[in-house]
């Protein structure tokens, strides 16, 4: 996102000020960064909210200060957001669920992300609804959190494998957790039995699919989100043009058949 946003800003002749916490769980740190951006007097803010509820007061403060806010990838649960540009996370989850239903038979499990984050809630529920029409698939247990971290994804997968040794698939709500889950599956020699599905379409996971660590991932287009976000803010700030309230940048299943096309971010 940063690279594509910078390229878009360079093309428009505007300045990009960038900051980000190192972990998706760092909600308070991101809020502090948001407030710092406001204090710097920026003309507009692009944000991927870590806490969809927690960021609302910051968005409202920006509204009061006349600073337009565009959410990328994950929407805020309140405040006046100029535009949400990102994946329909629910439909991405449905896509993953349908893919599992079409390719596997047996018990499956879910490793979700940060509890309370709406995008992970949507990705989880979408998957549950996606497998609902497939009598060959059974959800073995309630979703377990992996907090979007690779190490925690591995630990959560280890626990699931121990409790449900007959699993045929583990769906993870981001690629970092999927890579960790893939390592857990590989460590017990079950890579041929348990498919691991991620969500992001990251280059790391695409390579993991080629290497046999994962089976698939729901690919997003974060670079496209950033480009569209920069342009939406620019057109609004400079020309007063209102963007669409919601822009769905789409998603695609990445599998062994097309993983080589996703070795760089889209």
């Amino acid at each position: 996102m940063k690279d594509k946003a910078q390229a878009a800003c360079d093309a428009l002749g505007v300045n990009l000020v960038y900051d980000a916490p190192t972990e998706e769980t760092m909600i308070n740190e991101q809020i502090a960064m948001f407030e710092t951006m406001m204090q710097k007097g920026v003309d507009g803010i692009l944000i991927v909210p870590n806490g969809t509820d927690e960021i609302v007061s910051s968005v409202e403060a920006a509204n009061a200060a006349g600073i337009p806010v565009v959410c990328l990838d994950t929407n805020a649960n309140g405040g006046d957001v100029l535009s949400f540009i990102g994946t329909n996370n629910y439909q991405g989850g449905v896509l993953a669920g349908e893919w599992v239903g079409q390719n596997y038979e047996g018990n499956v499990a879910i490793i979700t992300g940060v509890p309370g984050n709406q995008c992970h809630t949507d990705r989880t529920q979408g998957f549950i609804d996606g497998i609902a029409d497939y009598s060959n698939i059974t959800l073995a247990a309630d979703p377990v959190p992996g907090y979007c971290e690779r190490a925690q994804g591995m630990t959560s997968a280890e626990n699931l494998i121990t409790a449900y040794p007959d699993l045929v698939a583990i769906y993870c709500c981001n690629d970092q957790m999927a890579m960790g889950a893939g390592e857990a599956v590989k460590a017990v020699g079950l890579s041929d039995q348990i498919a691991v599905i991620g969500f992001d379409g990251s280059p790391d996971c695409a390579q993991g699919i080629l290497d046999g660590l994962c089976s698939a991932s729901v690919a997003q287009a974060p670079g496209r989100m950033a480009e569209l976000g920069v342009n939406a803010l620019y057109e609004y700030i400079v020309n007063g043009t209102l963007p669409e309230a919601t822009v769905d940048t789409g998603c695609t299943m990445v599998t062994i058949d097309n993983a080589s096309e996703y070795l760089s971010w889209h």
Side-chain angles (χ1 to χ4, degrees):
M1 281 188 171
K2 179 187 177 185
D3 292 345
K4 296 295 185 181
Q6 186 66 65
C9 285
D10 290 345
L12 293 168
V14 298
N15 185 43
L16 177 68
V17 183
Y18 170 85
D19 206 352
T22 55
E23 304 287 345
E24 285 192 48
T25 53
M26 293 181 173
I27 295 170
N28 291 332
E29 289 83 352
Q30 188 187 53
I31 289 171
M33 292 171 182
F34 191 106
E35 293 171 353
T36 297
M37 293 295 183
M38 290 178 56
Q39 291 167 6
K40 289 181 177 179
V42 297
D43 297 297
I45 296 176
L46 298 163
I47 184 169
V48 181
N50 283 352
T52 49
D53 288 323
E54 293 87 346
I55 201 64
V56 170
S57 61
S58 298
V59 174
E60 291 173 342
N63 297 157
I67 301 173
V69 178
V70 170
C71 285
L72 306 178
D73 182 52
T74 303
N75 206 359
N77 282 343
D80 184 9
V81 174
L82 183 66
S83 180
F84 167 60
I85 302 171
T87 302
N88 184 319
N89 288 294
Y90 173 82
Q91 289 300 328
V94 170
L95 184 65
E98 291 176 342
W99 186 84
V100 168
Q102 293 162 7
N103 289 280
Y104 299 94
E105 180 174 345
N107 289 327
V108 303
I110 300 172
I111 301 176
T112 189
V114 178
N117 184 293
Q118 192 61 46
C119 84
H120 292 287
T121 300
D122 291 344
R123 292 175 187 182
T124 298
Q125 189 59 52
F127 182 82
I128 292 170
D129 292 347
I131 63 174
D133 292 334
Y134 293 88
S135 59
N136 53 306
I137 295 295
T138 301
L139 186 61
D142 290 336
V144 297
Y147 300 96
C148 299
E149 297 174 359
R150 186 165 180 158
Q152 186 60 53
M154 183 175 184
T155 299
S156 296
E158 289 170 345
N159 293 336
L160 287 168
I161 294 166
T162 299
Y164 308 97
D166 61 345
L167 288 175
V168 298
I170 299 174
Y171 165 65
C172 303
C173 289
N174 85 344
D175 280 350
Q176 283 297 310
M177 295 184 297
M179 296 291 285
E183 291 169 352
V185 170
K186 181 179 179 180
V188 292
L190 293 178
S191 295
D192 290 337
Q193 174 189 315
I194 303 176
V196 177
I197 301 92
F199 199 121
D200 282 332
S202 67
D204 283 348
C205 195
Q207 186 62 57
I209 292 171
L210 294 173
D211 293 341
L213 195 64
C214 299
S215 298
S217 178
V218 180
Q220 306 186 85
R224 182 67 175 150
M225 295 176 202
E227 291 174 348
L228 291 173
V230 167
N231 282 285
L233 275 180
Y234 181 85
E235 287 298 323
Y236 177 75
I237 294 166
V238 176
N239 299 318
T241 305
L242 277 172
E244 294 182 35
T246 301
V247 179
D248 183 358
T249 49
C251 53
T252 306
M253 286 304 298
V254 181
T255 67
I256 192 64
D257 295 327
N258 62 349
S260 60
E261 301 171 20
Y262 286 84
L263 295 174
S264 61
W265 282 110
H266 284 225

